[in-house]
Amino acid sequence: QPASMNAFELISLNRGLNLDNLFET
Amino acid sequence: MGCLPTKHVRDSPRSLGVHEAVAVSAESSCEKVDLPDFLNIATGTPFTVSEVEALYDLFRKISNSVIKDGLIHKEEFHVALFRSKSKKKQNLFGDRVFDLFDQKGNGVIEFGEFIRSLSVFHPDTPEEQKAAFAFRLYDLRQTGFIERHELKEMVLALLDESNLDITSDAVEMIVDTTFDQADVNRDGRIDQEEWNVFTKDNPYVLRNMSLPYLKDITMIFPSFVIHSEVSEAD
């Protein structure tokens, strides 16, 4: 449940940075 | 066949001293191109010179996607991150990552900055370096602290950019829970020391600071292998 997570875990798990996409150009 | 650069340096920085770094030049039948000093750029990073050369292919592609000047502008970074020119230009995390990659703060990402910043995301980079980078990332206003309103702003931005549907009460609960865990001295903000302890206790929060792609760069960019074979034949 997202509400039971801490915020940084939520950001980390949801690929908040999208940097993976750099390698799929 | 297009213009292929001739590469003169193939050694790993781990086998040569910095003082032995040789500037790399490239020539082709079509044009003369100045290449970055791959050896110097690789030094101090987890990347070999070959991997830095391979990443140069990626850098050239991104840096010439909108403005063909060999530098990554924010718009080009956004296009690469979000895979679409139509995607809105503002993105909290995209903007913060760009600002951290732009180490000189001159509005563009140069190749050396690109490599040094990406090296933080190498799976072999120590967690301490990843934690330090993440702290700067989340310290939105660069005050030296991650403040409660910044964390809430990040959570709201994440919800806006994803399909997650969480009530505002749940957002408050998430932020409160996080501060209960991380803000040890209860002053309403997370300092660097608290962050270091928090990330050691909760290493999964740094999961987005590692890019498995960086472990196998030359496999991702097969065009680089073709370049190298031509170079060695030279």
Side-chain angles (χ1 to χ4, degrees):
Chain A
Q1 287 296 319
S4 65
M5 290 181 172
N6 74 58
F8 297 111
E9 181 180 9
L10 196 61
I11 293 167
S12 185
L13 289 178
N14 283 280
R15 298 175 65 212
L17 304 184
N18 288 293
L19 281 171
D20 314 57
N21 284 346
L22 289 179
F23 303 93
E24 294 165 11
T25 53
Chain B
M1 187 145 217
C3 303
L4 296 177
T6 302
K7 294 167 180 160
H8 301 290
V9 178
R10 305 291 312 153
D11 299 287
S12 162
R14 290 189 279 269
S15 63
L16 291 172
V18 177
H19 63 283
E20 296 173 273
V22 179
V24 183
S25 64
E27 295 174 13
S28 76
S29 58
C30 308
E31 60 182 329
K32 188 173 174 98
V33 180
D34 286 330
L35 290 180
D37 183 346
F38 294 120
L39 178 57
N40 254 343
I41 290 171
T43 301
T45 77
F47 300 123
T48 65
V49 175
S50 297
E51 289 170 334
V52 170
E53 288 177 322
L55 286 168
Y56 187 57
D57 276 359
L58 173 66
F59 179 82
R60 280 194 311 176
K61 194 180 295 182
I62 299 171
S63 65
N64 291 312
S65 62
V66 179
I67 302 167
K68 301 187 188 313
D69 61 357
L71 300 164
I72 298 179
H73 295 253
K74 187 172 278 189
E75 183 182 359
E76 292 169 321
F77 198 65
H78 276 246
V79 169
L81 287 188
F82 303 112
R83 315 291 303 280
S84 167
K85 291 187 180 185
S86 62
K87 182 89 178 177
K88 63 183 179 183
K89 298 288 189 293
Q90 291 289 318
N91 176 281
L92 180 67
F93 294 104
D95 287 349
R96 281 301 295 146
V97 174
F98 181 89
D99 290 344
L100 290 180
F101 273 51
D102 174 18
Q103 294 169 337
K104 289 182 187 169
N106 59 350
V108 291
I109 301 170
E110 299 169 11
F111 182 59
E113 294 174 321
F114 184 68
I115 293 300
R116 285 190 295 275
S117 300
L118 274 185
S119 74
V120 175
F121 293 85
H122 194 288
D124 293 344
T125 294
E127 293 288 293
E128 290 77 13
Q129 285 184 39
K130 294 177 184 295
F133 190 97
F135 185 83
R136 293 169 61 213
L137 179 73
Y138 298 144
D139 176 14
L140 298 180
R141 307 287 182 273
Q142 299 157 70
T143 57
F145 303 95
I146 301 171
E147 300 181 39
R148 194 185 185 288
H149 66 90
E150 291 176 321
L151 188 57
K152 184 177 175 184
E153 186 178 344
M154 288 187 274
V155 172
L156 291 175
L158 176 70
L159 297 181
D160 186 48
E161 294 156 14
S162 67
N163 294 322
L164 288 174
D165 187 16
I166 301 178
T167 65
S168 55
D169 282 352
V171 170
E172 295 293 338
M173 191 187 305
I174 289 168
V175 174
D176 286 343
T177 300
T178 306
F179 267 75
D180 282 346
Q181 294 172 4
D183 179 22
V184 176
N185 66 8
R186 299 286 182 262
D187 67 348
R189 55 192 191 175
I190 300 166
D191 61 36
Q192 178 83 63
E193 195 177 332
E194 288 170 333
W195 176 251
N196 291 342
V197 172
F198 179 71
T199 54
K200 278 204 179 83
D201 291 345
N202 303 278
Y204 51 85
V205 304
L206 295 178
R207 194 178 301 172
N208 61 344
M209 295 301 301
S210 285
L211 295 170
Y213 285 101
L214 293 175
K215 283 283 260 187
D216 217 356
I217 295 162
T218 52
M219 293 295 286
I220 301 169
F221 301 105
S223 63
F224 161 73
V225 176
I226 296 169
H227 287 193
S228 288
E229 286 171 359
V230 172
S231 301
E232 286 168 7
D234 290 344

